[in-house]
Amino acid sequence: TWVTDADNDIVRKYDVFGNVLSTFNLSGYALTSNLSSASPCCVAADRNLDVWITLFDAVSTIKINNQTGAIQFGVVPPYTNMDWSLSSSYLSGFGGGNSLTPSCVDTDSSNNAWVSYSHPLSSYLIKYSSTGQTLSSFRLSAFWSADSLLVDSTDKVWIVYKDCTTFATTLTS
């Protein structure tokens, strides 16, 4: 079992008895910029038991190799991220305002990863190959945020949308 701790930028792997098998400290890990936090968010294992983890603040998703326990690679969306960092005479640093925020990940029967990027103005669903190549990308409607997703046994992708104007949710495939 894998557990994320976004506040401390840690991902832990536990055995069935609750013993910690490994710990990944992701502080300072970023593929797109010099962020001070990665904020691991969602975890999914593929059929090889390799693990994909979304890094909410680092605007990326990493893949950890099951055999070596090392980060195999990271993927970033093929779009421009808008970073609304704090910048004034009394505030500075990252303000947590990325326009591309990877919120959820799941894998299909071919070990491809499906990642939802959730933001009211720029929500996407992107399919990455098992080697990290972008296979397809779908832009979602403005003011709708893809908060959760699931790939079923027939490789159908199910998304839970949130209407950011009314906060109503909808399940669609």
Side-chain angles (χ1 to χ4, degrees):
T1 302
W2 291 83
V3 177
T4 64
D5 179 352
D7 290 334
N8 295 304
D9 285 338
I10 293 173
V11 180
R12 287 195 175 96
K13 181 179 181 182
Y14 292 91
D15 66 13
V16 294
F17 303 106
N19 300 311
V20 176
L21 298 176
S22 58
T23 300
F24 291 88
N25 185 339
L26 299 170
S27 290
Y29 180 84
L31 293 172
T32 56
S33 63
N34 250 349
L35 300 179
S36 60
S37 69
S39 299
C41 183
C42 186
V43 178
D46 63 23
R47 289 185 177 225
N48 294 334
L49 300 180
D50 294 333
V51 179
W52 294 79
I53 303 170
T54 59
L55 304 179
F56 197 78
D57 285 344
V59 191
S60 55
T61 302
I62 58 172
K63 182 178 179 181
I64 297 176
N65 184 290
N66 178 50
Q67 299 298 317
T68 65
I71 296 174
Q72 193 169 340
F73 57 79
V75 295
V76 294
Y79 303 105
T80 301
N81 178 50
M82 300 302 293
D83 175 2
W84 293 290
S85 294
L86 304 173
S87 57
S88 70
S89 60
Y90 56 93
L91 294 174
S92 66
F94 178 65
N98 287 314
S99 64
L100 295 169
T101 51
S103 56
C104 197
V105 63
D106 202 1
T107 60
D108 61 24
S109 63
S110 299
N111 294 326
N112 300 312
W114 291 83
V115 179
S116 64
Y117 293 84
S118 303
H119 188 278
L121 300 178
S122 59
S123 287
Y124 294 90
L125 178 64
I126 300 177
K127 179 181 179 182
Y128 297 104
S129 71
S130 61
T131 60
Q133 303 301 311
T134 300
L135 297 177
S136 56
S137 175
F138 307 94
R139 183 175 174 95
L140 307 176
S141 300
F143 300 108
W144 284 84
S145 181
D147 288 345
S148 297
L149 70 92
L150 171 84
V151 181
D152 68 19
S153 60
T154 64
D155 286 341
K156 192 174 213 175
V157 179
W158 294 85
I159 302 170
V160 175
Y161 283 107
K162 178 175 66 179
D163 181 340
C164 297
T165 61
T166 65
F167 299 105
T169 56
T170 304
L171 176 66
T172 190
S173 66

